[in-house]
């Protein structure tokens, strides 16, 4: 199929727009986290924003590579999320958005790309869907911890590490202030991947 006549071209443009918007929202959330003195959440959101922009670049490059310079503007129609910026609710809402991409949107785009003969594009949609599923788990986990005020409390002893100086303690609750560099609790690193894999 000619790429310029394909649904895949439009889907790539929609995915590009969605990833760019997610990257921007995550940067906004990073600033919200800083206002709450939650440096760790802020850093996590910056990492997710970077991931989203990398996904956007993949989709953007596919459009450029396959259009032979014949695409200047792609008209798209799609719904994009807008919610009030509040860290507690935004973490959960973004988890739902990521789940929708992982389980519905990108698998659908992958099937269409395969049907239209764009196998490499289909593989990228599938690979990015897996990443978005991981993002959804991280965001939901943080939302649950944040909402229940258990971000820095656990039922069993856990390793807590200052993200700035590297000080480590093992206890059920993270230190309120780092005893070495005096930074607040929000700088303590949470090993999300480890905690999610053991839950």
């Amino acid at each position: 199929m000619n790429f310029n006549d394909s649904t895949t071209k439009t889907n790539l443009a929609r995915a590009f727009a969605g990833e760019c918007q997610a990257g921007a929202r995550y940067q906004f959330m990073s600033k919200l986290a800083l206002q709450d003195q939650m440096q760790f959440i802020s850093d996590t959101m910056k990492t997710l924003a970077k991931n989203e922009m990398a996904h956007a670049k993949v989709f953007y490059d596919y459009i450029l590579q396959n259009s032979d310079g014949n695409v200047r503007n792609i008209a798209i129609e799609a719904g994009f999320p807008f919610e009030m910026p509040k860290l507690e609710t935004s973490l959960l809402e973004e988890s739902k958005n990521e789940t929708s991409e992982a389980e519905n949107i990108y698998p659908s785009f992958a099937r269409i790309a395969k049907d239209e003969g764009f196998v490499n594009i289909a593989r990228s949609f599938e690979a990015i869907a897996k990443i978005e599923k991981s993002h959804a788990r991280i965001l939901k986990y943080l939302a649950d911890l944040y909402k229940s005020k258990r971000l820095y409390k656990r039922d069993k002893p856990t390793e807590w590490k200052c993200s700035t100086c590297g000080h480590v303690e093992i206890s059920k609750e993270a230190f309120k202030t780092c005893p070495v560099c005096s930074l607040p609790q929000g700088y303590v690193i949470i090993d999300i991947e480890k905690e999610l894999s053991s839950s």
Side-chain angles (χ1 to χ4, degrees), residues 130-144:
K130 288 178 185 174
I131 298 166
E132 304 300 21
K133 186 171 187 173
S134 172
H135 287 180
R137 290 183 72 217
I138 290 168
L139 290 162
K140 175 144 185 2
Y141 187 66
L142 285 175
D144 292 346

Side-chain angles (χ1 to χ4, degrees), residues 28-68:
F28 302 156
M29 289 172 66
S30 172
K31 290 181 181 178
L32 280 176
L34 283 180
Q35 291 170 5
D36 284 356
Q37 295 187 336
M38 293 289 165
Q39 182 70 44
F40 173 75
I41 292 179
S42 176
D43 291 344
T44 301
M45 298 316 299
K46 285 179 186 174
T47 298
L48 296 183
K50 184 178 177 181
N51 294 166
E52 300 300 331
M53 294 311 295
H55 303 166
K57 179 79 163 72
V58 169
F59 299 139
Y60 186 80
D61 286 347
Y62 273 129
I63 292 170
L64 295 181
Q65 292 162 6
N66 288 280
S67 66
D68 297 323

Side-chain angles (χ1 to χ4, degrees), residues 158-192:
T158 299
E159 181 179 284
W160 306 102
K161 183 176 183 178
C162 177
S163 64
T164 301
C165 73
H167 172 72
V168 174
E169 288 183 11
I170 297 177
S171 64
K172 290 184 179 181
E173 186 171 347
F175 40 89
K176 300 280 188 210
T177 303
C178 179
V180 176
C181 67
S182 301
L183 284 172
Q185 193 176 58
Y187 283 81
V188 174
I189 295 170
I190 301 167
D191 192 341
I192 297 175

